[in-house]
Amino acid sequence: MAYNRENYRKIRAAYQTKYQRAQDIADARMREVHAASPEIEEIDRALNRTGLDIMEAALSGGDTYEKRLSEIREKNEALQKRRAACLAALGYPKDYTKPPFECPTCMDSGFVETKMCDCMRRELILAGLASSGLGKLLETQSFGTFRLDFYKDDPLVLEQMKRNLQILRDYAETFTTNAGNLLLCGNTGLGKTHLSTAVARRVIERGFDVVYVGAIELFSEFERVRFGAGSDGMRGDRLAPGAGDETARFTECELLILDDLGTEVTNQFTSSCLYYVLNERISRGLPMIFNTNLTGTELRKRYADRIASRILGEFRPLVFAGTDVRRQKLH
Ligand SMILES: Nc1ncnc2c1ncn2[C@@H]1O[C@H](COP(=O)(O)OP(=O)(O)O)[C@@H](O)[C@H]1O
Ligand SMILES: [Mg+2]
Ligand SMILES: [Zn+2]
């Protein structure tokens, strides 16, 4: 399981900033309190020596160590008590000079020992949703909002859609990077985008790096990188990504969802992009979900054999059936 690397980097940096901010606030407050109360300053100086005192006691060794230690502890407690009283007398809250961390559990480090703190995990999920490319789709399209009654007119269709739903739910709940590939096919308006968004959301929530992209958008991203402004002109006809290149995400993310395959104007360029993505991901063993309105025969007609046979051979097909839900919702 690996969160999106870029998000991880950004969030780690944000945690460092957050941590430092809390420390700076504590430092400023400490100066303020010391200015207001020389006694507290004196106490803090004594408290800061505690570590040294313990070390000295340990180094001097012998039978007196335990005794020295409990003396130090007692003195320490007395100082803490006196400090709290002074602080209260000045009207300060008792935690005033402690760093005001947003998360007391991890003290804004993002980690509790070697385990990632829940607060950071939540941030990574939110960032993962934001950078997934799903955008507004996430607002309405989830397993929770998917209804089977749109398919109830035909019992066979209903059975088939129930089965698709079950398979996709299981896929999302048990997703790992060897989950395999799915091909969601069928006419427009039957819920392919809806359910693949639902899968994406769940898989991101479970901590994986997911990219959702429409076919037209995917190819134009390759085009931009290959021919557009900012391309270094050194890439020849290679499709392998260079620095600062978004297309790397298509081949490296843990789940790629490619929507509306077949809506692009298919030409040699788009074909080689598609082949490149397919080939890279298959050889890395990284899962994909492709959505298409095309049938198997149409896929074979439209794409070169090396592409069609990979899609038909490596993807588990889920056929969507019924009547356009978008139109049913209008009535
Ligand atoms: N079973 C369903 N329950 C609720 N809404 C659905 C269902 N199927 C489709 N929709 C909605 O109908 C619209 C079209 O569905 P969509 O998933 O885009 O179809 P497709 O991708 O198969 O063309 C979307 O707004 C979607 O949220
Ligand atoms: Mg769609
Ligand atoms: Zn935390």
Side-chain angles (χ1 to χ4, degrees):
M1 166 156 114
Y3 292 94
N4 172 275
R5 220 185 304 147
E6 186 57 18
N7 291 340
Y8 185 78
R9 199 188 55 72
K10 277 195 203 132
I11 287 170
R12 277 304 290 265
Y15 268 70
Q16 265 153 22
T17 309
K18 219 158 50 163
Y19 175 85
Q20 196 51 53
R21 191 188 130 270
Q23 294 292 355
D24 291 347
I25 289 173
D27 288 348
R29 288 177 174 179
M30 196 68 102
R31 282 193 297 274
E32 177 195 344
V33 166
H34 286 173
S37 162
E39 185 178 359
I40 294 182
E41 188 173 15
E42 187 54 42
I43 293 173
D44 283 338
R45 215 172 292 141
L47 284 171
N48 286 337
R49 271 197 306 268
T50 307
L52 268 178
D53 290 348
I54 293 174
M55 207 144 79
E56 270 170 23
L59 288 174
S60 66
D63 323 330
T64 59
Y65 175 61
E66 290 295 326
K67 190 161 153 281
R68 271 294 293 141
L69 205 60
S70 74
E71 276 168 18
I72 293 169
R73 200 172 294 131
E74 257 165 53
K75 193 179 115 207
N76 198 299
E77 272 163 27
L79 285 170
Q80 297 275 14
K81 233 184 230 164
R82 179 65 197 147
R83 188 188 194 275
C86 292
L87 208 56
L90 289 169
Y92 288 113
K94 70 179 187 333
D95 289 339
Y96 190 65
T97 56
K98 294 214 176 99
F101 293 122
E102 277 173 32
C103 176
T105 314
C106 66
M107 299 195 287
D108 294 355
S109 69
F111 289 86
V112 180
E113 288 171 9
T114 58
K115 264 195 73 192
M116 191 186 291
C117 185
D118 288 345
C119 72
M120 183 148 147
R121 203 176 299 280
R122 263 196 312 276
E123 296 263 336
L124 279 163
I125 289 170
L126 290 176
L129 290 169
S131 64
S132 64
L134 285 159
K136 283 188 82 65
L137 290 176
L138 282 167
E139 288 167 18
T140 50
Q141 313 206 340
S142 66
F143 284 118
T145 57
F146 188 81
R147 287 163 43 192
L148 280 167
D149 56 316
F150 287 120
Y151 313 95
K152 67 177 184 313
D153 290 347
D154 181 338
L156 282 177
V157 166
L158 181 62
E159 265 326 294
Q160 186 161 340
M161 290 306 292
K162 261 189 196 165
R163 195 175 138 265
N164 289 342
L165 176 61
Q166 192 56 49
I167 290 168
L168 287 163
R169 260 188 198 285
D170 290 346
Y171 187 89
E173 290 303 332
T174 61
F175 181 87
T176 62
T177 46
N178 48 32
N181 309 311
L182 300 175
L183 180 66
L184 278 49
C185 41
N187 292 336
T188 308
L190 298 178
K192 299 183 297 297
T193 298
H194 190 122
L195 280 184
S196 50
T197 303
V199 170
R201 177 205 295 264
R202 225 11 234 143
V203 173
I204 293 168
E205 283 170 355
R206 292 188 48 240
F208 295 93
D209 182 21
V210 179
V211 171
Y212 167 95
V213 66
I216 293 174
E217 199 190 327
L218 175 117
F219 297 122
S220 59
E221 186 57 32
F222 272 108
E223 204 173 308
R224 194 185 66 74
V225 168
R226 174 75 170 70
F227 303 115
S231 97
D232 55 18
M234 300 282 287
R235 308 240 328 259
D237 51 15
R238 282 184 303 125
L239 288 165
D245 176 350
E246 285 293 308
T247 59
R249 295 263 285 132
F250 303 139
T251 47
E252 287 171 6
C253 67
E254 291 175 302
L255 174 61
L256 175 71
I257 301 182
L258 177 60
D259 204 358
D260 291 324
L261 179 67
T263 55
E264 77 284 1
V265 177
T266 305
N267 56 35
Q268 214 168 15
F269 178 71
T270 60
S271 287
S272 59
C273 292
L274 182 58
Y275 181 71
Y276 170 71
V277 171
L278 269 170
N279 208 34
E280 280 292 306
R281 295 193 65 90
I282 290 170
S283 64
R284 294 176 196 212
L286 290 171
M288 294 167 265
I289 297 178
F290 281 9
N291 298 337
T292 185
N293 294 348
L294 303 176
T295 62
T297 319
E298 285 166 339
L299 276 171
R300 285 210 177 279
K301 225 187 271 165
R302 185 188 271 257
Y303 298 105
D305 187 50
R306 59 181 189 157
I307 293 173
S309 61
R310 267 190 172 67
I311 297 177
L312 297 168
E314 306 269 352
F315 286 62
R316 175 179 186 181
L318 299 181
V319 179
F320 280 56
T323 17
D324 191 339
V325 172
R326 206 177 275 115
R327 242 179 302 161
Q328 289 189 60
K329 281 184 169 177
L330 290 177
H331 298 126

